[in-house]
């Protein structure tokens, strides 16, 4: 099953310049199975790199939605 919401979901390079950091974050998000862990990860990300833009917030929100659907 797939869901197409028509919104941008990514960590922009301008927000997190190092590709290794972005890939590690994507990997952690994909492995997360607990909404509280998503909240902690979002907090860590914003503490380290600053305020997430809409595309970044969408990515975290979509992870929460995925968990709820599972």
């Amino acid at each position: 099953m797939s869901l197409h919401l028509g919104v941008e979901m990514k960590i922009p390079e301008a927000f997190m310049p190092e590709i290794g950091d972005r890939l590690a974050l994507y990997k952690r998000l994909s492995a997360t199975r607990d909404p509280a862990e998503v909240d902690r990860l979002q907090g860590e990300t914003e503490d380290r790199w600053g305020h997430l833009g809409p595309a970044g917030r969408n990515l975290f929100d979509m992870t929460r939605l995925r968990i709820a659907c599972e």
Side-chain angles (χ1 to χ4, degrees):
M1 180 204 283
S2 64
L3 177 64
H4 301 281
L5 299 177
V7 296
E8 188 175 32
M9 296 176 285
K10 68 177 187 174
I11 300 298
E13 184 177 346
F15 176 79
M16 188 181 289
E18 295 295 322
I19 192 166
D21 291 333
R22 288 193 311 276
L23 291 174
L25 179 57
Y26 286 128
K27 184 175 181 178
R28 287 179 70 187
L29 280 173
S30 70
T32 300
R33 299 290 180 256
D34 177 12
E37 180 62 25
V38 177
D39 294 342
R40 283 189 294 274
L41 188 52
Q42 184 172 354
E44 287 176 24
T45 302
E46 290 183 329
D47 284 348
R48 183 168 176 190
W49 285 282
H51 180 71
L52 281 165
R57 284 192 311 273
N58 289 342
L59 179 65
F60 282 89
D61 289 343
M62 186 59 167
T63 302
R64 290 180 191 94
L65 180 60
R66 174 189 53 82
I67 292 167
C69 290
E70 290 177 343

